Amino acid sequence: WPRTRVAEIVTRLTQAGAFVIGFDVVFAEPDRLSPDAVADVFRNLDEETRQKIRASSSTDSVFADALRQSRVVLGETGLPIPVPQSEAPPPTGIAMLGPDPRPLLPDYPGLLRNLPILDKAAAGRGLFSIRPERDGIVRRVPMIMIAQGEIKPALAFEMLRVGTGASTIQIKSDVAGVRSIAIPGFELPTDRHGQLWIHFSPRDPARYVSAADVLEGRVGPTEVERRLVLIGTSAAGLLDLKTTPVDPTMPGVE
């Protein structure tokens, strides 16, 4: 989909009262359907027409405008190797109470970010990286991690921070490791590695709304008002299906 269509989804969800919107997706590369990209792809166009197409606004800038007008948290993912980093957005504030927890946190040598134009426009950024247990089943999800040397919040917890307007996430630890992570008014107990044991419920189709229905105006305040809305994928071919204790193929976004 062109980023203009993704921008329309964000705008419609915000108009319907969505509290915070989170993307379980990384927009790491420029939109290949942007006018400046397709101008050189179409054949049999005269140069004047190509120049007119190139002069149109990029779809990424349209998407960035939609992000600025909403409370949106963009997803990031850890990588096994470091990668060159372009200009980074301001990091989320991290305060530590107790011994340094870094040696016990999940640590990814690299970090895959979104395009700088999108990163700067978003209200927050969080990791959605998950490490299954040895048997391949997801039972715990890290709430705080290290990626390319930075302490980063998970996508879910960053959505809570943005929703409450907090500027800083506090990590509480003792000699055994991490005890909890917190924002003003809310503290979340974790294991010593900063991971949350998930109390999984059975799969519930009522949690889902179709992106097509959002675009066609069939989703209103009843479904999304004052809710945290996650945008992600459920197609098997995109390889984001996880095995949980209650479901062998649960979409990662759920």
Side-chain angles (χ1 to χ4, degrees), residues 185-204:
F186 179 75
E187 185 171 350
L188 183 70
T190 67
D191 69 6
R192 64 194 298 259
H193 300 286
Q195 301 177 116
L196 176 70
W197 287 93
I198 304 296
H199 183 176
F200 286 99
S201 61
R203 181 175 174 82
D204 183 4

Side-chain angles (χ1 to χ4, degrees), residues 38-46 50:
V38 301
D40 296 321
V41 175
F42 292 131
R43 297 182 179 181
N44 304 320
L45 291 181
D46 59 81
R50 292 186 193 279

Side-chain angles (χ1 to χ4, degrees), residues 105-230:
L105 297 180
D107 193 340
Y108 296 91
L111 173 65
L112 183 64
R113 296 183 184 274
N114 294 272
L115 291 172
I117 188 176
L118 304 179
D119 253 346
K120 293 175 183 177
R125 292 144 293 276
L127 286 167
F128 52 72
S129 300
I130 295 175
R131 290 178 174 174
E133 308 294 333
R134 291 183 180 180
D135 57 5
I137 297 176
V138 175
R139 296 184 178 89
R140 294 176 290 180
V141 174
M143 291 288 101
I144 202 84
M145 293 160 268
I146 298 175
Q148 197 137 332
E150 295 181 51
I151 296 181
K152 306 279 293 182
L155 175 65
F157 201 81
E158 179 70 348
M159 290 176 70
L160 295 178
R161 183 193 70 80
V162 168
T164 61
S167 60
T168 301
I169 292 173
Q170 186 178 67
I171 306 174
K172 297 183 179 181
S173 60
D174 56 23
V175 293
V178 180
R179 291 192 356 250
S180 65
I181 62 171
I183 52 177
F186 179 75
E187 185 171 350
L188 183 70
T190 67
D191 69 6
R192 64 194 298 259
H193 300 286
Q195 301 177 116
L196 176 70
W197 287 93
I198 304 296
H199 183 176
F200 286 99
S201 61
R203 181 175 174 82
D204 183 4
R207 292 191 183 112
Y208 287 82
V209 294
S210 163
D213 287 343
V214 174
L215 289 167
E216 293 296 327
R218 294 191 291 266
V219 175
T222 303
E223 291 88 357
V224 300
E225 188 173 25
R226 298 185 60 78
R227 294 176 184 266
L228 301 171
V229 180
L230 283 160

Side-chain angles (χ1 to χ4, degrees), residues 1-4 30-47 49-60:
W1 285 2
R3 303 277 158 83
T4 47
D31 185 5
R32 51 196 181 86
L33 297 177
S34 190
D36 51 345
V38 301
D40 296 321
V41 175
F42 292 131
R43 297 182 179 181
N44 304 320
L45 291 181
D46 59 81
E47 188 57 29
T49 302
R50 292 186 193 279
Q51 291 298 336
K52 288 181 179 179
I53 295 175
R54 293 190 187 103
S56 303
S57 298
S58 78
T59 54
D60 286 310

